[in-house]
Amino acid sequence: QRLEAKGVSHEEMTRALEWMNIGRLRVASKGLDRVDDGGSPRLAEVSAEEQFTRGMYMIGQVSALRDGLTTMAGLHADVCDASTELLESLAVDPASVRVKQTPPPPCDVAIVGMSCFYPQAGNLRRYWHNILAKVYAVTEVPATHWDWELYYDPDPLAKDKIYSKWGGFVDDVAIDPFEYGIAPNSLPSIEPLQLLLLEAVKHALADAGYERRPFNRERTAAILGIGGGGSPLATAYGFRTCLPLIDNLPNMPSKSSEIIDRCQWLLPECTEDSFPGFLFNVGVGRVANRFNFGGTNMAIDAACASSLAALDASVRELMQGTADVAVSMGADTVQTPFAYMAFSKTHALSRRGRCSPFDAEADGIVLSEGIGIVVLKRLADAERDGDRIMAVI
């Protein structure tokens, strides 16, 4: 009525009533009011009398829950006093509650075979030797991969530059594509990662003694942990696909066809082998196909935890009884200029080219290639089958 008497607009009246409503709720529920202390708003406590006089609870819902007439005093007593008594009567002493927690049984999964392709370590024996000899396998990016000098600038803020030239790089591996049903003319369209996985799984099965000894392939799972993306082939195909877009740009001296002709070795033509050739899930699918694994086959991307996630999933396959053998794989061979650029711009790389976990001098990570495989079985099955048990998870 006071606002109407002042002749304020409907919008102003709505805002004033809303503001008053908010303030009264705060006064009633918290005993606080907003005051303007010389242009600096703050919350101040109000007395119990002022709280009673000015405070207002939202009574719509609680009054609607009544099935008969009630007075304001009765409603107030019911909501405030009776509800407090109800809550106190329902309170339970936490000390009297005993929750029975049954720990999960140990998984007891045996590692019965392994293989690896790591920097300066093309097999398990060499990798173990490097560990004992404290070989530091990080080097400058080799010319066989790409020319780091085209990109390097020690200033991490330099545009389109990388500030790390270090990494771990796998040496060449001799692979016979015919062994895996791959024609040589398909190789340019297939990511080397897929070939390396096939070869590494072959070595892991041989290490487990199953190169010739039979095992239940139909109940063998293959799970690959692989983080990130942007494989070299996929990046090249994407770049080539987008090149025709420059043809319509004004004042563009070069045409897409000219760029493709000059860079054919860097920008391969897309064929029927290309799409499956760079998909990570096809990589593990090839493993299942060529080794006749009938169990689960999938790729897991959990970033830097991908290998651990693949191992966890493999263990679950065995413990749940959906597989009797699990081939758990971790792989990363995507050390391209694009990967270095992405990590540089997030300031994740070490300028010194050294990983120093838990060290005060740690300044980032070092990218590295590598493939690691473990062949897993339930411990009881491995003991029954006379497997060589290297470790138990």
Side-chain angles (χ1 to χ4, degrees):
Q1 289 174 343
R2 288 197 302 270
L3 291 171
E4 284 180 339
K6 293 181 179 179
V8 301
S9 67
H10 176 75
E11 290 77 11
E12 291 176 307
M13 188 182 299
T14 300
R15 281 195 297 271
L17 291 173
E18 286 289 350
W19 185 252
M20 185 172 66
N21 199 33
I22 294 172
R24 291 188 175 190
L25 285 171
R26 184 179 60 246
V27 168
S29 61
K30 297 184 177 181
L32 298 174
D33 194 15
R34 189 182 300 277
V35 296
D36 190 349
D37 190 4
S40 177
R42 62 182 179 84
L43 292 176
E45 292 186 6
V46 298
S47 65
E49 183 180 354
E50 188 175 1
Q51 203 174 340
F52 183 81
T53 303
R54 293 180 49 215
M56 181 180 69
Y57 282 99
M58 295 177 68
I59 64 172
Q61 290 88 339
V62 292
S63 61
L65 290 173
R66 268 59 193 172
D67 59 0
L69 293 177
T70 184
T71 63
M72 290 299 295
L75 183 62
H76 180 82
D78 192 22
V79 172
C80 296
D81 301 331
S83 62
T84 301
E85 295 171 1
L86 176 62
L87 291 173
E88 290 175 347
S89 68
L90 296 175
V92 178
D93 180 10
S96 65
V97 179
R98 293 289 182 268
V99 179
K100 186 177 180 181
Q101 295 180 336
T102 304
C107 57
D108 285 343
V109 167
I111 299 175
V112 298
M114 298 190 295
S115 72
C116 69
F117 296 131
Y118 289 137
Q120 299 182 30
N123 54 60
L124 288 171
R125 181 178 295 276
R126 183 64 187 178
Y127 182 54
W128 182 238
H129 173 270
N130 285 355
I131 292 174
L132 296 179
K134 301 180 181 180
V135 173
Y136 194 68
V138 168
T139 63
E140 291 183 351
V141 180
T144 52
H145 282 62
W146 43 277
D147 186 357
W148 60 264
E149 295 188 66
L150 297 174
Y151 300 91
Y152 181 74
D153 191 313
D155 180 6
L157 300 179
K159 185 177 181 181
D160 297 327
K161 297 292 183 179
I162 63 175
Y163 64 86
S164 173
K165 56 183 178 179
W166 310 97
F169 300 91
V170 173
D171 295 328
D172 288 345
V173 178
I175 298 175
D176 178 9
F178 284 115
E179 185 177 356
Y180 305 108
I182 300 174
N185 59 1
S186 298
L187 291 180
S189 301
I190 298 176
E191 193 65 61
L193 169 72
Q194 298 190 5
L195 302 171
L196 291 168
L197 278 175
L198 291 165
E199 190 73 7
V201 170
K202 182 183 79 170
H203 290 307
L205 291 176
D207 185 62
Y210 287 112
E211 190 172 25
R212 294 183 177 84
R213 187 159 59 112
F215 64 99
N216 193 342
R217 294 176 184 262
E218 187 61 31
R219 287 182 52 80
T220 297
I223 300 178
L224 169 65
I226 184 163
S231 67
L233 271 180
T235 302
Y237 288 134
F239 184 76
R240 177 168 177 158
T241 302
C242 293
L243 273 176
L245 297 175
I246 72 173
D247 290 341
N248 294 325
L249 296 177
N251 303 319
M252 180 59 66
S254 298
K255 293 296 183 180
S256 60
S257 57
E258 298 174 11
I259 297 175
I260 292 174
D261 289 341
R262 293 176 59 189
C263 306
Q264 187 67 42
W265 63 275
L266 188 61
L267 303 173
E269 181 182 358
C270 202
T271 69
E272 66 270 16
D273 296 313
S274 300
F275 190 38
F278 62 75
L279 291 176
F280 294 145
N281 49 35
V282 173
V284 66
R286 286 188 196 272
V287 168
N289 175 268
R290 299 317 300 178
F291 292 97
N292 295 318
F293 296 160
T296 297
N297 79 84
M298 62 179 175
I300 296 177
D301 183 351
C304 295
S306 297
S307 294
L308 187 59
L311 183 67
D312 179 64
S314 299
V315 168
R316 291 176 187 271
E317 289 282 330
L318 294 170
M319 300 314 298
Q320 292 172 359
T322 52
D324 294 332
V325 180
V327 178
S328 186
M329 300 166 277
D332 190 351
T333 59
V334 191
Q335 305 321 332
T336 63
F338 175 65
Y340 273 71
M341 187 71 69
F343 278 97
S344 288
K345 295 313 174 187
T346 52
H347 306 285
L349 300 180
S350 167
R351 299 190 192 188
R352 301 175 299 128
R354 284 191 171 270
C355 291
S356 306
F358 314 113
D359 193 295
E361 294 184 359
D363 64 345
I365 64 172
V366 181
L367 298 180
S368 182
E369 299 175 333
I371 289 181
I373 312 287
V374 290
V375 180
L376 308 173
K377 294 177 69 174
R378 287 181 289 272
L379 178 60
D381 293 349
E383 292 174 336
R384 177 199 64 201
D385 298 336
D387 294 310
R388 179 183 50 154
I389 297 171
M390 303 174 183
V392 177
I393 302 171

